[in-house]
Amino acid sequence: MTDRTAHSADAAGAPAQPAPDRTVLLRGGEVHSPADPFATAMVVERGHVAWVGSEGAADAFAQGVDEVVDLDGALVTPAFTDAHVHTTSAGLALTGLDLTGAASLEEALRLVREHARRRPDDRVLLGHGWDAARWPERRAPRREELDEAAGGRPLYLSRVDVHSAVATTALLDLVPAVTARGDEPLTRDDHHAVRRAALAAVTPAQRADAQRAALDHAASLGIGSVHECGGPDISSAEDFTGLLGLARERPGPRVFGYWADRDLEQAKALGAVGAAGDLFADGALGSHTACLHSPYADAGHTGTGYLDAAEIAAHVAACTEAGLQAGFHAIGDAALTAVVDGFRAAADRVGLARVRAARHRVEHAEMMTPATIAAFAELGLTASVQPAFDAAWGGEDGMYADRLGAERARTLNPFAALLKAGVPLAFGSDAPVTPFDPWGTVRAAAFHRTPEHRISVRAAFTAHTRGGWRALGRDGAGTLVPGAPADYAVWRTGELVVQAPDDRVARWSTDPRSGTPGLPDLTPGRDLPVCLATVVGGREAFVRPQG
């Protein structure tokens, strides 16, 4: 791929370079397009798809374009949209101390020691991804262990779900408002205060490097746009505006920013597309902070609710009247009940039609019930969900079962019921909570650990491409049809297949008479497609080196 042109500007948060002038014909592959299920060629002009069709018809364009790209049998699909990302944190995990692979407490502490030796000049050591639920010790690091491993230096280590953390004495000494000095992980306000202090030590140059690393890695996996979920309790205004500015200035994924703040003027001033994202109604199951109706199976409490229905209603009504998207982080069933009650109260205040038209969204939406699913459909809420959560923590022996018991754990992430009810789905990773992995995300939804929650590969693929654009209110993007933005990825993959519809155990067809564009066979154990190139608005964001 050699089309080095520029992004188009078509939405807040999207790249702002002028549309490219060159016209490019891609041919000799497979083009995944609802406009033509047998398409093998595509023309890109001025940053948009101009035509898709067959190889024979492509001959008519070959003499009138600036470049012809031989796909050599590769698959072209719409670029993926990751609908929930924490870009700087994801980049810091990629470039710094990542504990997601640590198999034990001992290994995690060894990695901390090595990181501290490698970074003698860092004011605060940062790390992410520990998960004591997967360690044989079954406990978080104690403060004295961290003090020793970090050599007495300030250290912040977020748990894999980023809703709790452990820190050294030296870091806690920098935050006198935090009086907790025990060995239990920090949660709620104490965690937020320590995280702010830790991230404040990141220099602008370090932050920009982390953001570039995250966006470049996303592009290398066929991701053409991300929804950044920032907020005053998550990052900083400087981090948020710096990321949006960086994305406008360089080739790479589009960045659409959500700012989780009830201060609507602040969200607007920062260039956010919504006062939404991780506006916390509760916490996370792994940290015992998701808000439940009944106590945790492994703890004698029901978690933490951060917003009540009245506060949610006020925010939704204000956002609806201001023309902004509202949205909340909600995982536990009690938090989701509060969210639904709040949206209903807002609809009573400003009108159901206006609430539905605003396309408000809820992040994670894990512990859904038939009643909350029906309410999502009634209120027009988008469920911004992360199938990799089920792959990581679902199943009879997973973290969900530890926290909730097997019966409640089996109800989590009911993607099939949401789709059947007509609830729009947008897929994301919540990186760095789970890594960027779009085809792995599609596989996780199609092969959910609870069979009745599985959806077809086609539905999952749509949720991870077109679904993210629909969540932004852009129905004409995320698919390769004439007039759509030329955001696409090129893949090396095996034979394309069509999954039988409504089949909880996948069956496949290679019969072209199905009239449905094929997709890679994502059966567990098979290799996932390899990204060869990612193009955003007609401009290359990634090209895999040859050889």
Side-chain angles (χ1 to χ4, degrees), residues 182-201:
D183 288 324
E184 290 300 310
L186 300 163
T187 61
R188 302 191 63 175
D189 292 343
D190 284 348
H191 176 218
H192 295 160
V194 170
R195 176 165 58 189
R196 278 193 293 271
L199 294 180

Side-chain angles (χ1 to χ4, degrees), residues 266-284:
Q266 173 76 337
K268 289 179 181 178
L270 294 177
V273 296
D278 273 335
L279 186 52
F280 297 121
D282 69 344

